[in-house]
């Protein structure tokens, strides 16, 4: 059983729409990562969070430690945002990352 | 380009053959991780090194798999007697442990197809 759950699994939207991807996890964590994976496989780290909120350009990541939930938002979405977005957590006391199954985002022009 | 390189990028092999992959991390990074990703799934942890010491191995890492990081720099992952179920993307990541914000930098991956 995967201890990190993402929703939705697939998301298709029109250019300009506000996008939200959700991540829930089972027990306490020391850090949560949001990653972006383009076709071909390369993974880029977008954010690392342990509390609160971070913003970079059109991307915003939030985390609610009490609810064990994080969201990744994309404002003014663009076709180049099309990718798989992956949530990964480091559970407390552990060193490895545990990954969600990813959300495939497609932004149509 | 994250600064982490992997070689080869693609490998096609026949069942029963041995394969070896290489990962070159960012030079000052002391941690190196190996992950496996199958189609439509998120990556799964295989093993990690701190410098040359292999500190944790997943139960996914059967006795056909072995990983080394002999000088604490590059790492190799070998799969012996490959099976069709080994077909996957093998990802390497490196990080600077001890740094306040430990971010893992991923390589481009090696895509393995076992026929």
């Amino acid at each position: 059983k995967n201890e990190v759950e993402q929703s939705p699994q697939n998301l298709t939207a029109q250019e300009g729409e506000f996008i939200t991807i959700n991540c829930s996890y089972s027990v306490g964590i020391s850090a949560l990562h949001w990653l972006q994976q383009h076709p071909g496989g390369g993974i880029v780290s977008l954010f690392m969070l342990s509390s609160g909120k971070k913003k970079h350009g059109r991307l915003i990541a939030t985390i609610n430690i009490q609810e064990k939930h994080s969201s990744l938002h994309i404002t003014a979405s663009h076709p180049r945002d099309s990718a798989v977005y992956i949530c990964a957590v480091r559970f407390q006391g552990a060193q490895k990352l545990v990954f969600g199954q990813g959300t495939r985002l497609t932004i149509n022009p | 380009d994250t600064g982490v390189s992997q070689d080869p990028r693609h490998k096609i092999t026949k069942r029963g053959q041995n394969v070896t992959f290489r990962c070159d991390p960012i030079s000052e990074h002391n941690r190196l991780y190996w992950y496996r990703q199958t189609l439509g799934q998120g990556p799964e942890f295989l093993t990690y090194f701190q410098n040359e010491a292999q500190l944790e191995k997943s139960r996914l890492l059967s006795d056909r798999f072995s990983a080394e990081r002999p000088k604490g720099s590059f790492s190799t992952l070998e799969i012996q007697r490959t099976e069709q179920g080994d077909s996957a993307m093998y990802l390497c990541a490196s990080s600077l442990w001890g740094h306040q914000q430990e971010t893992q930098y991923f390589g481009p991956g090696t895509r393995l197809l076992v026929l």
Side-chain angles (χ1 to χ4, degrees), chain B:
Chain B
D1 184 0
T2 62
V4 179
S5 61
Q6 291 187 245
D7 183 69
R9 295 288 305 275
H10 303 272
K11 179 71 176 179
I12 300 174
T13 191
K14 292 182 179 178
R15 190 176 53 185
Q17 298 294 304
N18 299 344
V19 295
T20 300
F21 309 142
R22 177 179 170 126
C23 172
D24 285 272
I26 294 171
S27 59
E28 64 268 24
H29 283 184
N30 50 13
R31 281 210 171 168
L32 188 148
Y33 299 82
W34 284 100
Y35 300 96
R36 181 173 70 184
Q37 185 178 27
T38 53
L39 206 60
Q41 301 297 315
E44 297 174 291
F45 169 79
L46 291 178
T47 188
Y48 86 95
F49 294 84
Q50 181 151 323
N51 300 312
E52 66 275 9
Q54 188 174 19
L55 296 187
E56 186 175 350
K57 293 194 295 185
S58 164
R59 64 182 183 279
L60 293 174
L61 215 67
S62 76
D63 57 4
R64 297 184 298 105
F65 287 71
S66 62
E68 294 183 342
R69 195 183 183 199
K71 297 180 181 178
S73 56
F74 73 91
S75 176
T76 57
L77 177 68
E78 181 183 16
I79 310 174
Q80 295 181 325
R81 305 181 303 281
T82 52
E83 302 173 355
Q84 288 182 324
D86 297 330
S87 296
M89 173 80 86
Y90 290 84
L91 293 161
C92 169
S94 72
S95 70
L96 186 60
W97 180 252
H99 192 258
Q100 189 175 7
Q101 298 282 321
E102 191 222 1
T103 297
Q104 293 189 22
Y105 295 83
F106 286 81
T110 294
R111 191 176 295 279
L112 173 66
L113 178 61
V114 182
L115 300 176

Side-chain angles (χ1 to χ4, degrees), chain A residues 37 48 90 95-96 99-100, chain B residues 31 37 42-43 48 101-102:
Chain A
Q37 185 171 33
M48 187 175 73
R90 176 175 281 121
Q95 300 301 319
K96 66 184 183 185
F99 296 78
Chain B
R31 281 210 171 168
Q37 185 178 27
Y48 86 95
Q101 298 282 321
E102 191 222 1

Side-chain angles (χ1 to χ4, degrees), chain A residues 65-81:
Chain A
I65 297 296
Q66 286 74 31
E67 294 187 3
K68 299 183 177 61
H69 180 269
S70 175
S71 293
L72 177 68
H73 305 286
I74 304 175
T75 62
S77 60
H78 190 276
R80 65 176 175 265
D81 297 326

Side-chain angles (χ1 to χ4, degrees), chain A residues 6 10 13 22-23 31 34 37 51 66 70 79 86-87 89 106 108-109:
Chain A
Q6 285 186 237
N10 293 282
N22 297 298
C23 175
W34 281 104
Q37 185 171 33
S51 64
Q66 286 74 31
S70 175
I86 303 172
C87 169
V89 304
T106 303
N108 293 319

